[in-house]
Amino acid sequence: MHKIHIFEVSPRIPERLQKLIPLAYNIHWSWEPQCIDLFRRLDSDLWEEVDHNPVKLLRCVSQERYLEVQDDDGFIDHMERAMLNLEVYLMERSWFQREHPDRISTTIAYFSAEFGLHECMAFYSGGLGVLSGDHMKSASDLGIPLVGVGLLYQKGYFQQYLNADGWQQETYRIYNFTELPLQLLRDEDGKPFKVSVKLPEREVVVQCWKADIGRVPLYLLDTNIPENRLLDQNITDELYGGDLEKRIQQEIVLGIGGYRMLRKLGINPTVFHMNEGHSAFLALEHIRYLMQEHELTFEQAKNAAAVSNIFTTHTPVPAGNDVFSVELVEKYFCEYHQSLGMGHEDFINLGKIIKRNPREGFCMTCLAIHLSGKINAVSKLHNKVSRKIWKDIWTGLPENEIPIVSITNGVHPSTWVSQEMSNLLTRYLGPQWKENPSDPSVWERIERISDEELWRTHERGRERLVTFARNRLKQQLINRGASTLEIRDAEDALNPEILTIGFARRFATYKRGTLILRNEERLQKILTNRNHPVQFIFAGKAHPKDEPGKEFIREIIHTIRKLDLRHRIVFLENYDVNIARNLVQGVDVWLNTPRRGLEASGTSGMKAAFNGGLNMSVLDGWWEEGYQPHAGWAIGRGEEYDDFELQDEVESNAIYDLLEQEVIPAFYERTSNNIPRRWIRYIKNSMKVHCCEFSTNRMIFDYVNKFYIPAEKAWEKLSDNNFSLIKEISEWKSRIRENWHQVRIIDVLEDTIDSHNVNDRYNVTIKVHLGNLKPDDISTEIYFGRINEHREIDAGEAIPLEFISMDGDSAASFKGSIPLQSSGRFGFSARVVPNKEKLLAGIETEYMRWE
């Protein structure tokens, strides 16, 4: 084929309109209505065609339109105000600067395999990516010194459409990165910044694109460059595509390539936050860097790196935790682990729950846990589930002491709240609902809003949703080649005045998207009730390899046709941020039906709450802690079942009962002026309770105060004076390892008093044989708590004892007391561990001695 020289021609933006360019390239516009209105004003039809992407809009607007707009003083004034708003936002003193003025050198690197920032960039598959995007936006709002690192996928995540039988089909769009709000990073010579990562028998070159998200940058890595062979160019072609070999290649590029890229850009993070296990290889590269730059041993570097590593686990579902075969890991890391001074088995053990277990593969979640000083789950219930799943990493440690804590997810309010609701909240609550949404006193002001005004605002959201859904449904039918009659019939689908329930999420089977269809006769009666009708809007994608999930979608489509419910149930194809935004802004009820314990957190229901939508959900994820009577509805009481068939039967009936007996009556119970007072009471209660607790501002406050600042302080302490403290601690740990076999509890002397009352203290003395160790080498504790029906300590706590004396050269006595704060049956166990203050990160249970 003859050679073709390709180049692009863009319209010439007049000098007077040049400020449109920086506005388009800072993704702050995605949560700034004034800016969105500006771009829509430029060409409203084109704005829809380009997926609300201002960079592509500026490339596609006609030269004639630019010449017309440059003389429009109203447009120029609008642009100037939008630009001033952005400049003020970028320059104003932030929350972090006010609260932590001594932390100006802080840099937090936030790694994630997906980022859901906006519908024009489908580099996300679901909740994990959308959470990452909201995390970045709130970090910007609060001025957190954070940088994001991810992968730039040429095809993004798949585009979904349904065939005539309702079966999910997948296609992929090919992104032109120059049409996105991204900029290729170049050095002083104008050449792209590049790093390389080692794969078997070759080096893969990686370049970097930058997205500005308000105040914070996001760096996205790309292997689709000519230096790489075709197979390696495709490493970053699609999200969650391909086999396990491609997955490990992507995760090497993300973790190792991302770490190297930051260093090359002159960015030296003091804290590394791994959002899920996909980026866990960065922890290894961090260790390797410390070994080379500071002449540390592997153990020294591992201990130093761990204090600055933070790991967030998101899923209790096995498919969500990447596990590679030992052979595959050896293929890709045989040289790498040698550079760490590690043997094959020791390296593989980093990715195992139980060391040297031949039945285990190499798990990225385990790797992240082993190499992180702080670990969190994303809701309180998920914390309990995570401790159960990973408890064997800390063999012998009581479950409640496993060092996984909970930081419940949240949402970025400005991204998800409708313009009508935003204006209403600002009018009555002031700007604080955006600037400080985690302040409960702000949301108490919701009572100032009249029922009538709140209801009319919410109704406008439902009306827009119905219009949006009709338009999407018509386009789906046109794309499918439906008849003119079917397409025209779509104009009457749904009703803007009736109770609207939304169900939209990934169609994984545990989310039970078809639970509401279980009793078709009862469902049909509910939907078609002449006086009190109900309608459902479904949306969601199944993973391309998830055949059962696809079957769920097909079942919904077939049920709609079989029961002739096309006017009461619609399924919107190709679920994305745009569909999600319209749904959460317009539904009356957000339905969520996971099997309890399998929804880590969930955030879509939080978004609905900010818009006056009410939640009806199984008590799982965030709803376990968010549910309150008269602020939403709980499906069941938190029961857990071994028989899934029975569970589905019980909980589907619970949904029908709630709808028939509580939800529908509350919605349609109206005053003389058609206002549902009881329903609005629920809305106000929900907004007061949920909006302050479940924003990403509150979530990031938790990360800053519990993780980021403590991690940086620990890092500063350890890295001072060329890591002299870590070397000292490493020598101490070597001494512990050599002598720990001598440590044992000789005797436990209990309180001799026969009876005890509340507010007494129970005295305990423990004698420990130390061998060659010293009293300050160990922590001696009593593990105390209430005795349950199995004669076990239930949810105990560790109480440290004080050293009181030596008994000869190798035995020591420690003494303490237990505060008896309530009545009942209690017990304790005695134990010895290495000095906790010197362990730095976590508890090493292999060096724990119980009585």
Side-chain angles (χ1 to χ4, degrees):
M1 182 178 176
H2 56 276
K3 185 175 182 180
I4 300 175
H5 297 270
I6 299 174
F7 57 94
E8 295 185 18
V9 178
S10 299
R12 185 185 299 277
I13 300 177
E15 184 65 30
R16 203 177 182 203
L17 300 175
Q18 285 292 306
K19 289 179 181 176
L20 289 172
I21 298 173
L23 286 170
Y25 275 94
N26 192 313
I27 299 175
H28 179 252
W29 55 258
S30 69
W31 71 94
E32 180 45 62
Q34 182 185 53
C35 210
I36 291 173
D37 289 344
L38 175 70
F39 290 120
R40 183 181 285 113
R41 184 173 179 175
L42 189 59
D43 191 323
S44 58
D45 292 336
L46 187 57
W47 177 248
E48 298 301 323
E49 290 177 24
V50 299
D51 279 338
H52 313 138
N53 173 3
V55 173
K56 190 171 183 179
L57 178 80
L58 296 183
R59 286 170 170 261
C60 296
V61 168
S62 68
Q63 195 67 51
E64 291 75 17
R65 178 59 179 157
Y66 277 128
L67 295 176
E68 179 183 337
V69 168
Q70 72 170 344
D71 295 325
D72 183 339
D73 289 340
F75 185 89
I76 297 298
D77 179 67
H78 191 164
M79 180 186 69
E80 294 288 347
R81 284 184 284 111
M83 191 67 214
L84 178 63
N85 183 56
L86 176 61
E87 290 171 345
V88 169
Y89 176 87
L90 296 176
M91 297 297 294
E92 66 184 355
R93 188 172 172 81
S94 70
W95 171 86
F96 189 85
Q97 290 170 322
R98 295 194 303 272
E99 294 296 316
H100 301 282
D102 57 330
R103 297 282 122 197
I104 56 173
S105 62
T106 300
T107 303
I108 299 142
Y110 180 81
F111 280 66
S112 182
E114 47 178 304
F115 285 88
L117 297 164
H118 189 262
E119 59 265 24
C120 72
M121 298 186 291
F123 308 140
Y124 60 92
S125 69
L128 174 67
V130 173
L131 176 82
S132 300
D134 281 11
H135 192 114
M136 296 292 289
K137 292 171 184 177
S138 273
S140 170
D141 289 343
L142 297 170
I144 311 300
L146 181 143
V147 299
V149 181
L151 298 179
L152 187 58
Y153 303 99
Q154 187 79 38
K155 299 178 183 177
Y157 199 51
F158 74 89
Q159 307 292 296
Q160 176 203 53
Y161 70 95
L162 305 184
N163 66 17
D165 189 44
W167 191 256
Q168 174 181 292
Q169 307 289 299
E170 298 94 24
T171 62
Y172 289 87
R173 72 168 74 172
I174 304 296
Y175 281 101
N176 178 353
F177 297 150
T178 62
E179 293 181 342
L180 297 176
L182 304 169
Q183 292 180 311
L184 181 63
L185 291 184
R186 300 179 183 274
D187 60 21
E188 294 177 353
D189 298 325
K191 296 178 180 179
F193 270 102
K194 294 176 182 176
V195 295
S196 64
V197 294
K198 184 81 168 67
L199 297 186
E201 300 178 353
R202 66 197 188 277
E203 295 276 339
V204 173
V205 180
V206 184
Q207 66 181 9
C208 187
W209 299 74
K210 180 188 176 190
D212 287 315
I213 306 168
R215 294 182 175 106
V216 300
L218 170 62
Y219 298 100
L220 297 170
L221 308 177
D222 170 25
T223 64
N224 187 20
I225 50 181
E227 291 97 314
N228 294 324
R229 65 180 192 173
L230 184 59
L231 197 62
D232 293 334
Q233 290 178 25
N234 291 335
I235 289 175
T236 56
D237 65 347
E238 60 186 87
L239 173 62
Y240 302 147
D243 56 15
L244 284 175
E245 184 142 16
K246 185 170 184 178
R247 180 67 65 87
I248 199 172
Q249 291 171 356
Q250 288 186 331
E251 296 184 356
I252 288 170
V253 170
L254 174 61
I256 296 175
Y259 185 95
R260 292 177 182 176
M261 184 63 75
L262 290 180
R263 293 289 182 189
K264 185 162 186 177
L265 292 170
I267 299 169
N268 299 302
T270 47
V271 177
F272 292 89
H273 186 170
M274 294 171 273
N275 190 41
E276 198 51 280
H278 307 113
S279 59
F281 290 138
L282 83 84
L284 295 173
E285 184 65 9
H286 191 21
I287 291 169
R288 196 184 69 85
Y289 172 83
L290 293 176
M291 291 175 68
Q292 290 184 350
E293 292 296 313
H294 299 282
E295 298 182 344
L296 302 179
T297 66
F298 174 81
E299 281 298 319
Q300 291 170 345
K302 174 175 171 283
N303 290 329
V307 300
S308 62
N309 290 341
I310 292 163
F311 173 57
T312 299
T313 178
H314 282 267
T315 175
V317 180
N321 297 288
D322 289 336
V323 179
F324 302 116
S325 70
V326 171
E327 294 74 21
L328 187 62
V329 173
E330 181 63 13
K331 174 181 176 181
Y332 279 85
F333 284 90
C334 61
E335 293 183 24
Y336 192 95
H337 70 64
Q338 292 171 17
S339 72
L340 295 172
M342 299 184 74
H344 164 78
E345 186 175 44
D346 287 340
F347 184 83
I348 295 299
N349 283 337
L350 291 173
K352 291 190 174 187
I353 296 176
I354 299 173
K355 294 179 180 179
R356 293 175 288 279
N357 181 355
R359 294 186 299 276
E360 280 191 59
F362 187 95
C363 176
M364 294 296 284
T365 301
C366 287
L367 178 65
I369 288 173
H370 284 306
L371 299 181
S372 296
K374 295 187 181 295
I375 308 155
N376 75 285
V378 290
S379 71
K380 291 178 181 177
L381 180 59
H382 181 229
N383 188 34
K384 296 177 183 177
V385 172
S386 297
R387 286 175 169 180
K388 282 185 170 67
I389 293 172
W390 306 109
K391 65 180 184 299
D392 288 339
I393 290 178
W394 297 274
T395 305
L397 195 65
E399 205 168 279
N400 68 296
E401 285 196 301
I402 288 172
I404 302 176
V405 302
S406 66
I407 295 181
T408 302
N409 286 342
V411 300
H412 183 245
S414 297
T415 292
W416 300 105
V417 174
S418 72
Q419 186 58 47
E420 297 92 342
M421 185 63 74
S422 176
N423 291 340
L424 181 70
L425 294 177
T426 300
R427 192 157 65 250
Y428 286 95
L429 279 60
Q432 285 297 307
W433 79 267
K434 284 185 180 181
E435 297 168 7
N436 191 15
S438 59
D439 182 354
S441 66
V442 171
W443 295 99
E444 287 295 328
R445 300 174 200 161
I446 207 84
E447 297 293 348
R448 300 176 182 176
I449 305 175
S450 71
D451 289 357
E452 289 79 3
E453 196 168 3
L454 181 58
W455 183 241
R456 299 303 177 215
T457 300
H458 178 71
E459 282 195 308
R460 282 193 288 274
R462 190 191 320 113
E463 291 164 2
R464 281 193 300 102
L465 170 60
V466 168
T467 301
F468 173 83
R470 286 172 176 172
N471 291 335
R472 292 292 291 237
L473 187 59
K474 284 171 62 178
Q475 192 59 53
Q476 288 172 197
L477 291 169
I478 292 170
N479 294 343
R480 202 179 300 155
S483 68
T484 304
L485 183 61
E486 284 182 287
I487 295 168
R488 189 166 57 242
D489 196 41
E491 295 177 358
D492 295 322
L494 307 177
N495 183 325
E497 296 181 355
I498 71 176
L499 175 60
T500 304
I501 299 176
F503 182 99
R505 52 196 27 88
R506 283 189 304 112
F507 263 74
T509 52
Y510 76 87
K511 294 178 182 283
R512 298 189 294 175
T514 58
L515 191 63
I516 189 67
L517 309 179
R518 192 172 176 90
N519 187 328
E520 292 179 352
E521 182 180 354
R522 197 170 176 188
L523 175 64
Q524 190 170 28
K525 286 181 179 178
I526 290 171
L527 296 179
T528 59
N529 184 293
R530 181 169 297 179
N531 297 318
H532 300 147
V534 178
Q535 60 195 9
F536 278 85
I537 302 178
F538 286 89
K541 297 177 177 179
H543 188 277
K545 295 179 181 178
D546 184 0
E547 300 296 314
K550 292 182 180 181
E551 185 58 47
F552 275 17
I553 295 173
R554 181 176 174 274
E555 184 180 341
I556 292 171
I557 302 303
H558 279 245
T559 301
I560 294 171
R561 293 172 182 169
K562 181 171 70 174
L563 302 180
D564 192 22
L565 294 172
R566 287 171 294 177
H567 294 159
R568 288 289 178 264
I569 303 178
V570 300
F571 187 97
L572 301 183
E573 297 174 8
N574 204 34
Y575 185 43
D576 65 359
V577 166
N578 188 31
I579 291 177
R581 187 167 51 241
N582 279 275
L583 279 170
V584 299
Q585 290 176 1
V587 296
D588 298 298
V589 175
W590 194 261
L591 179 64
N592 191 24
T593 56
R595 294 200 190 280
R596 179 177 161 88
L598 297 183
E599 179 93 297
S601 175
T603 56
S604 51
M606 304 173 188
K607 296 160 192 162
F610 271 94
N611 287 283
L614 299 176
N615 280 271
M616 182 166 71
S617 175
V618 171
L619 290 171
D620 198 13
W622 80 280
W623 195 236
E624 163 79 6
E625 57 200 87
Y627 168 70
Q628 287 193 17
H630 311 297
W633 297 274
I635 301 169
R637 299 180 180 177
E639 302 91 345
E640 296 184 10
Y641 296 79
D642 295 324
D643 185 338
F644 288 170
E645 180 69 20
L646 174 63
Q647 179 180 13
D648 291 352
E649 181 68 21
V650 170
E651 293 182 344
S652 64
N653 283 323
I655 294 172
Y656 301 135
D657 290 342
L658 280 172
L659 288 173
E660 292 167 342
Q661 299 167 21
E662 297 188 36
V663 179
I664 295 171
F667 183 86
Y668 284 107
E669 182 185 284
R670 303 296 174 96
T671 61
S672 58
N673 59 346
N674 201 33
I675 300 297
R677 300 283 184 196
R678 184 152 61 104
W679 189 270
I680 296 168
R681 181 72 266 152
Y682 270 70
I683 291 177
K684 289 184 175 181
N685 291 344
S686 170
M687 295 185 81
K688 286 194 293 185
V689 170
H690 300 138
C691 293
C692 69
E693 284 296 323
F694 298 106
S695 75
T696 38
N697 281 44
R698 187 274 311 151
M699 180 187 81
I700 288 184
F701 289 157
D702 286 348
Y703 277 117
V704 168
N705 295 322
K706 295 179 181 179
F707 280 11
Y708 294 163
I709 297 299
E712 186 183 50
K713 288 180 177 178
W715 170 256
E716 289 173 345
K717 183 178 179 181
L718 289 180
S719 60
D720 189 44
N721 194 22
N722 196 28
F723 294 90
S724 59
L725 180 57
I726 199 69
K727 292 172 183 175
E728 178 184 322
I729 290 174
S730 181
E731 292 175 5
W732 170 80
K733 290 183 79 171
S734 294
R735 190 159 57 83
I736 291 290
R737 279 194 295 271
E738 292 170 5
N739 294 283
W740 193 253
H741 65 281
Q742 301 175 5
V743 175
R744 65 182 186 276
I745 294 174
I746 302 171
D747 197 8
V748 176
L749 304 177
E750 300 184 51
D751 207 321
T752 56
I753 300 174
D754 292 334
S755 61
H756 296 85
N757 299 314
V758 173
N759 295 328
D760 287 347
R761 300 190 75 88
Y762 189 97
N763 298 311
V764 178
T765 300
I766 299 177
K767 290 188 176 181
V768 181
H769 184 270
L770 297 175
N772 294 324
L773 298 179
K774 300 175 181 177
D776 65 354
D777 288 329
I778 67 170
S779 295
T780 305
E781 301 173 335
I782 42 183
Y783 181 73
F784 162 77
R786 192 178 295 273
I787 298 295
N788 62 24
E789 65 273 18
H790 305 295
R791 297 180 60 83
E792 298 170 340
I793 295 174
D794 194 17
E797 63 174 310
I799 299 175
L801 306 186
E802 291 184 4
F803 168 70
I804 53 173
S805 66
M806 290 294 297
D807 184 8
D809 294 332
S810 59
S813 293
F814 298 82
K815 187 175 183 178
S817 63
I818 302 169
L820 306 179
Q821 297 172 334
S822 60
S823 60
R825 193 181 189 199
F826 295 89
F828 74 90
S829 294
R831 70 186 186 192
V832 179
V833 295
N835 188 317
K836 284 185 173 180
E837 293 183 4
K838 296 182 180 180
L839 283 175
L840 301 178
I843 299 172
E844 299 183 13
T845 54
E846 60 187 301
Y847 300 115
M848 179 174 283
R849 287 279 189 271
W850 292 86
E851 180 189 7

